[in-house]
Amino acid sequence: LGTTSANASHSASGATTDNFARSFLWQDHDDGDEVVHSMGSGGADQHSGGVFGRGLFGTSHRRSAVPSKRTSPNNPNISLAAVRMAGSGGDAERGRSSLFSNLRNSILGGASFFGGDGRTKKKEDVEFHRNIAPRRHSRTAMDFGGDFAQSMFEDIEEEEGACSTWRGTLVSQCRQHRKMLLVLAAAAAVVTIGVGGLAVGGGDGATTFLGISLPQKDRLGAMKAILVKSDISSATSLDDPNSPQAKALQWIANNDPAPISVKDPFMPQRYALVCLWFSSISDESDQSSGDDSADRRRLYEHDEHDEHDESDPEWVKADNWLSATGLCAWAGVTCHHNPKGGLSETHYDANNGVRAIALPSNGLRGAVPREMFTALPDLISLDLKDNDITALPDEMGSARKLEFLRLENCAIRNLPSSIGKMNALRLVNLYHNFINGTIPETISDLSDLRELYLDSNYLSGSIEGIFNNMPNLVDLRLRRNALSGNVPSFQGLDNLQILYLDACKFSGTLSESFGGGMPKLRELTLYKNLLTGELPASMSTMSRLQHIYIDHNGFQGSIPQSWANLKALKHLFVYKNALNSSLDVMAEMDSMVKLRLEENRFSGTISSSFGGLKDLEVLVLSDNEISGELPSELGQLSKLNRLMAPNTNIDGIVSEEVCSLTKDYALTEFVMTCRGRGMEGGVLCSCCTECKSDLDV
């Protein structure tokens, strides 16, 4: 029941009575024709028609030009199917007198509301019109409601007499006229009252009339209003026809094969996923073909035989995306558990709250749309690693429940400061991207953060003061950046276990308190920086340290004696510095596996205590000022596979105990400076895998 092009969608539409009447059409649902189309969507006063109008009317974007197959000869736009369907809900004979009285008032009230001109026969009805009728109305409804409804009422008032010509066209027997006219009168009341009620009827985007869903005419506009008001998308992006947001809105409103109600709580989430889809479409796929209508069809129209006919972003996994299935069945999407299934069922055909998105190595490209962070309130994990993603939105801070963010090995160039608002984050992995600029100080607000990987980027500037007092931080990796300034002392990192700061541009000395705020640290890398000064004794408080990599710097002085307390230390790499102490401290590090001291100024002799390092596998002493002989106790190191001490002052004869390591055990690389070519320095070695002389230097 509705209008065609001349509908009552605006209060001053200017449609004529004839246009409205011609569109007063209800198709017989048994004929397989299109159902109703466009019944004015909102120009009339919101209070018009009351509950009656609001409850029975809605709109549809589907239009029909098919005429009714069974209509009245004198009034061909009134379908007999409408009579049967509208009258199917009740018995017109039961309580006819009461129904007649109420219907009479409703018809007259509705007619006068839409501009009825008082052409009724009863004075009280005229007064009724004057008292209740507002002045905002549709001209179409005024003409039709005032004239048609009044004539209907006059016919009903007649007693059992000869059937009027007009009634005779609708029924074949006079004895049926009361029932049929009452039904038609009800239809008139519905028209006159319901048109105005449309402004509030079906406010959620879909109203049901006689069991048929009638979506609002402007679904796209209603959805846009919700997305903007909820700060999910910006009006600017939705107004840009080339944006992923505008394309996603067009699809979700008009082309989704499983149309979703405007006010469905999961509409924004379905829309957000479609934004991700369209954000991966390359610029080339957006180029115009010169035919605007063809371009729109190519981008937006849905072919029921091809559920992926949108411009395909060529994802590796795209199962069920942009199909009629619920979003919880789309590849890579995990939802709350199925309320109709078990707690473990999180991938199923329905719309529900999205909990995780995992699309690694999937061919995604472009910027991550803001909707991934603004429209998915229950999202706790986002894994888009190993894709060609280029940017993060400033609005990413809206994802207050997100705990795991994995975007490593992408092409991201920015890190918004709003990340500091994501206070549920536990893991952030942005390793190996192109992020430049400074690290946002707001990161220090992430009190629950456990793991932060920003290594292999182009970050610059100082990090002092950013990472203090983050008691839950366990793993911090900032290596391979252009970070500069002093290395902070990192106070208040009570649970930090891994700290990677190598291959940056840090300079200056380490604070005397360095290490005191990291009692659980296990791995420390500071190699390939510009650090100078002495190594702080405070590092000995990090009793759990297993790996220290501080090579390729300018450290001077000695290895602090207190470092002998680092009993858990397995790897100590201090090569290519300017350290000048003896080796005795290292001989007390009982758990040592790899010890690299080359290219320093170490002096003195090799203590026999080194024979007690039962787990030692690598010992590199080359290019130092070490003297004396190799102690035979080194022959006890059954796990030693690499012993290198060329370009030192070590001399004497290599003992049989040491040589036995090359025969019975794993010593496969044994390099020394050997005597020869008339040189007096070096060792006499019958088992070295490589002998060098002073002339080889």
Side-chain angles (χ1 to χ4, degrees):
L1 189 59
T3 68
T4 53
S5 60
N7 57 50
S9 62
H10 300 286
S11 60
S13 65
T16 64
T17 302
D18 288 341
N19 285 337
F20 189 89
R22 280 195 296 272
S23 66
F24 181 40
L25 174 64
W26 183 281
Q27 298 291 1
D28 188 345
H29 66 300
D30 293 328
D31 295 334
D33 298 327
E34 296 284 15
V35 193
V36 292
H37 44 79
S38 266
M39 183 67 181
S41 63
D45 189 280
Q46 291 188 356
H47 296 289
S48 60
V51 176
F52 190 32
R54 290 197 300 270
L56 295 179
F57 281 81
T59 63
S60 171
H61 65 281
R62 300 171 63 188
R63 295 187 176 275
S64 171
V66 182
S68 176
K69 297 183 180 179
R70 292 190 290 279
T71 58
S72 164
N74 291 343
N75 195 347
N77 294 292
I78 303 224
S79 169
L80 297 185
V83 173
R84 292 200 307 274
M85 295 181 72
S88 63
D91 184 351
E93 295 298 330
R94 185 186 307 166
R96 176 167 54 87
S97 175
S98 175
L99 174 62
F100 177 87
S101 176
N102 293 333
L103 189 57
R104 169 180 173 275
N105 290 334
S106 296
I107 295 171
L108 292 177
S112 65
F113 184 91
F114 288 97
D117 53 9
R119 290 177 294 173
T120 61
K121 296 180 180 180
K122 297 183 181 295
K123 180 178 180 181
E124 62 270 26
D125 291 328
V126 176
E127 293 297 321
F128 177 72
H129 307 160
R130 292 173 179 166
N131 290 334
I132 70 167
R135 293 299 173 233
R136 289 184 296 167
H137 52 72
S138 164
R139 185 67 213 169
T140 299
M142 177 179 70
D143 292 340
F144 181 70
D147 298 338
F148 179 69
Q150 176 62 29
S151 66
M152 293 286 290
F153 175 68
E154 291 173 353
D155 282 339
I156 294 174
E157 280 191 317
E158 296 180 7
E159 297 297 334
E160 294 186 13
C163 294
S164 67
T165 301
W166 183 81
R167 291 200 310 273
T169 64
L170 293 177
V171 294
S172 60
Q173 297 180 2
C174 289
R175 58 185 173 83
Q176 296 179 345
H177 79 280
R178 286 180 181 168
K179 179 176 181 180
M180 302 307 294
L181 288 178
L182 285 171
V183 170
L184 289 176
V190 167
V191 171
T192 57
I193 299 172
V195 171
L198 281 175
V200 292
D204 65 349
T207 302
T208 300
F209 181 53
L210 300 179
I212 298 175
S213 178
L214 309 176
Q216 280 188 347
K217 179 181 180 181
D218 191 9
R219 277 172 52 83
L220 188 146
M223 287 180 171
K224 176 181 175 182
I226 289 175
L227 296 173
V228 172
K229 184 177 181 180
S230 302
D231 202 27
I232 290 172
S233 295
S234 69
T236 301
S237 65
L238 293 172
D239 289 338
D240 179 2
N242 294 318
S243 71
Q245 289 78 10
K247 295 174 184 178
L249 178 59
Q250 181 72 259
W251 187 88
I252 202 77
N254 298 329
N255 305 110
D256 190 341
I260 191 169
S261 170
V262 172
K263 284 192 175 180
D264 189 303
F266 304 117
M267 181 275 289
Q269 303 201 31
R270 193 171 176 94
Y271 158 78
L273 295 180
V274 181
C275 284
L276 182 63
W277 175 273
F278 280 110
S279 71
S280 291
I281 297 176
S282 66
D283 294 339
E284 289 77 14
S285 65
D286 290 341
Q287 296 300 313
S288 173
S289 65
D291 182 349
D292 289 342
S293 60
D295 287 337
R296 284 194 294 271
R297 288 194 300 272
R298 175 175 58 84
L299 287 172
Y300 301 132
E301 289 185 357
H302 180 84
D303 184 350
E304 63 182 357
H305 300 296
D306 182 5
E307 294 186 340
H308 297 291
D309 70 320
E310 311 294 340
S311 296
D312 192 349
E314 299 180 355
W315 286 4
V316 176
K317 290 179 60 179
D319 298 347
N320 295 326
W321 279 73
L322 273 67
S323 72
T325 62
L327 61 86
C328 297
W330 294 7
V333 177
T334 300
C335 293
H336 286 289
H337 72 274
N338 188 352
K340 298 181 180 179
L343 292 176
S344 61
E345 187 178 1
T346 57
H347 192 68
Y348 50 92
D349 184 6
N351 292 319
N352 205 342
V354 177
R355 297 283 283 169
I357 298 174
L359 295 169
S361 304
N362 205 51
L364 279 70
R365 54 181 177 260
V368 178
R370 62 181 277 178
E371 291 73 17
M372 288 291 96
F373 302 96
T374 60
L376 306 174
D378 296 325
L379 189 68
I380 62 172
S381 178
L382 180 61
D383 183 354
L384 303 179
K385 65 177 177 285
D386 300 313
N387 286 291
D388 292 328
I389 294 170
T390 57
L392 294 173
D394 291 336
E395 297 80 7
M396 66 184 298
S398 299
R400 300 300 177 85
K401 293 185 180 179
L402 193 67
E403 298 182 15
F404 306 96
L405 179 62
R406 303 203 61 173
L407 292 165
E408 63 265 36
N409 289 311
C410 294
I412 297 169
R413 299 178 182 275
N414 68 315
L415 181 57
S417 61
S418 62
I419 191 174
K421 298 178 181 179
M422 304 169 71
N423 47 27
L425 277 174
R426 301 179 62 186
L427 179 148
V428 174
N429 194 338
L430 292 167
Y431 159 78
H432 204 271
N433 278 279
F434 296 92
I435 302 172
N436 53 43
T438 60
I439 297 175
E441 294 182 3
T442 54
I443 280 186
S444 61
D445 295 330
L446 302 178
S447 57
D448 284 337
L449 191 63
R450 268 74 166 171
E451 299 169 77
L452 177 61
Y453 305 124
L454 296 176
D455 38 336
S456 298
N457 280 285
Y458 293 89
L459 293 164
S460 59
S462 173
I463 63 171
E464 287 194 86
I466 297 179
F467 298 101
N468 289 335
N469 301 314
M470 299 180 72
N472 292 308
L473 192 60
V474 173
D475 194 342
L476 176 59
R477 306 189 187 194
L478 307 177
R479 65 197 301 183
R480 297 175 185 170
N481 279 288
L483 299 169
S484 59
N486 293 325
V487 174
S489 58
F490 294 106
Q491 298 300 313
L493 302 182
D494 297 336
N495 287 293
L496 190 66
Q497 297 181 24
I498 297 174
L499 178 60
Y500 289 174
L501 301 175
D502 54 274
C504 292
K505 296 181 179 180
F506 292 114
S507 60
T509 61
L510 295 180
S511 168
E512 292 183 0
S513 61
F514 182 81
M518 301 177 285
K520 295 182 180 179
L521 197 67
R522 292 188 294 107
E523 297 183 25
L524 172 65
T525 68
L526 286 168
Y527 63 88
K528 291 186 178 179
N529 278 289
L530 305 172
L531 299 170
T532 59
E534 296 188 355
L535 297 173
S538 58
M539 289 178 62
S540 63
T541 61
M542 298 186 287
S543 59
R544 300 186 185 184
L545 264 178
Q546 297 180 11
H547 301 155
I548 297 178
Y549 303 109
I550 55 176
D551 50 279
H552 290 86
N553 279 289
F555 289 116
Q556 304 166 357
S558 62
I559 301 290
Q561 185 61 42
S562 60
W563 281 29
N565 297 324
L566 298 176
K567 299 299 185 182
L569 193 61
K570 295 181 178 180
H571 294 179
L572 178 60
F573 288 17
V574 297
Y575 60 94
K576 290 192 175 182
N577 279 285
L579 299 168
N580 56 17
S581 64
S582 69
L583 307 180
D584 295 344
V585 174
M586 281 75 82
E588 299 181 42
M589 298 176 179
D590 299 335
S591 300
M592 188 63 66
V593 174
K594 294 181 179 182
L595 180 59
R596 294 190 59 179
L597 308 176
E598 68 266 30
E599 297 188 50
N600 278 283
R601 299 173 184 172
F602 288 110
S603 59
T605 61
I606 301 174
S607 169
S608 61
S609 298
F610 274 91
L613 304 180
K614 303 299 184 182
D615 294 321
L616 191 64
E617 297 177 1
V618 175
L619 177 60
V620 182
L621 304 172
S622 52
D623 296 286
N624 277 288
E625 299 175 7
I626 303 169
S627 59
E629 296 183 357
L630 289 177
S632 61
E633 286 80 4
L634 295 181
Q636 302 173 17
L637 303 178
S638 60
K639 295 181 180 180
L640 191 66
N641 58 64
R642 185 182 183 193
L643 174 58
M644 301 181 68
N647 304 321
T648 65
N649 296 323
I650 298 175
D651 58 11
I653 301 173
V654 177
S655 66
E656 287 295 325
E657 290 84 358
V658 174
C659 281
S660 67
L661 296 177
T662 64
K663 301 175 182 178
D664 302 327
Y665 298 101
L667 184 56
T668 57
E669 190 174 5
F670 185 13
V671 182
M672 299 293 294
T673 298
C674 301
R675 293 179 187 177
R677 299 181 184 179
M679 302 298 296
E680 296 183 358
V683 298
L684 291 173
C685 183
S686 62
C687 58
C688 290
T689 59
E690 183 177 354
C691 273
K692 293 187 176 182
S693 70
D694 292 338
L695 297 178
D696 296 326
V697 179

